[in-house]
Amino acid sequence: MNKQIILNGVAAFLPEKHRIIAINSDKPPLSLSIPASRCLALLVNYQGEVVLRERFFHEVWVSNGAQVTNNTFYQNISLLRRAFKEFGLNEDYIVTVPKVGVKLENTLKITRSEEGENIVTELPQPSTPVQTQPRKVVQRLSSSLTRGGLA
């Protein structure tokens, strides 16, 4: 069983699957990037405390063999804010402390599932065939390149 972290009773964060799932809603699951998922897990583990940028860098990237810039870090935090907003959570739960780090507000109610207990089950999403017409796309692209003088 995967660990589940319930956020304000409206969404479940599945850290091992890097997903957020709506509770009691038909909203489709949201896949997070692995770094964004690790950032959220770190914030949840230290809720209410400021997590230093250096800690994020080390635990999310350096320990996994990557070096990133401050911009990459803040892009991942921005992704989390957008994910919160999409699930009806206040994006202000994630607070940036300038030049120090980020914290997850104590006002966000977090409930962790017990080992072996699934609070939410993820239903498989029906796959819908994607209809594409590559020939028309190529023709439009090549004609626009010709008109622009690039061909």
Side-chain angles (χ1 to χ4, degrees):
M1 298 282 163
N2 290 320
K3 180 168 55 168
Q4 298 180 357
I5 299 164
I6 307 304
L7 308 169
N8 262 11
V10 299
F13 169 48
L14 310 177
E16 290 89 4
K17 290 188 175 186
H18 313 292
R19 294 182 137 220
I20 299 177
I21 301 172
I23 298 173
N24 300 323
S25 167
D26 58 354
K27 186 180 298 283
L30 176 71
S31 292
L32 297 172
S33 67
I34 292 172
S37 181
R38 289 178 183 152
C39 286
L40 182 52
L42 197 56
L43 286 169
V44 166
N45 288 336
Y46 292 96
Q47 183 180 16
E49 299 176 38
V50 176
V51 180
L52 301 177
R53 278 186 316 187
E54 292 75 20
R55 183 169 204 143
F56 279 104
F57 281 103
H58 179 74
E59 292 191 26
V60 174
W61 290 282
V62 175
S63 66
N64 294 292
Q67 294 287 332
V68 296
T69 63
N70 281 332
N71 190 42
T72 300
F73 164 65
Y74 286 115
Q75 284 175 352
N76 279 275
I77 299 303
S78 178
L79 288 172
L80 293 178
R81 285 191 178 107
R82 278 187 259 148
F84 271 37
K85 188 174 183 178
E86 189 169 320
F87 284 90
L89 296 165
N90 188 339
E91 59 192 283
D92 293 337
Y93 284 131
I94 302 171
V95 177
T96 299
V97 180
K99 299 185 181 183
V100 178
V102 179
K103 78 174 188 172
L104 190 61
E105 289 289 352
N106 278 328
T107 53
L108 175 68
K109 184 181 177 205
I110 293 179
T111 309
R112 290 173 168 77
S113 66
E114 295 299 320
E115 194 61 38
E117 172 193 13
N118 261 352
I119 297 171
V120 210
T121 55
E122 186 174 8
L123 300 174
Q125 295 297 308
S127 60
T128 54
V130 178
Q131 296 178 1
T132 60
Q133 297 174 335
R135 182 174 288 157
K136 289 183 181 178
V137 172
V138 171
Q139 288 172 346
R140 284 187 195 132
L141 180 60
S142 64
S143 66
S144 66
L145 291 175
T146 305
R147 278 182 270 146
L150 297 174

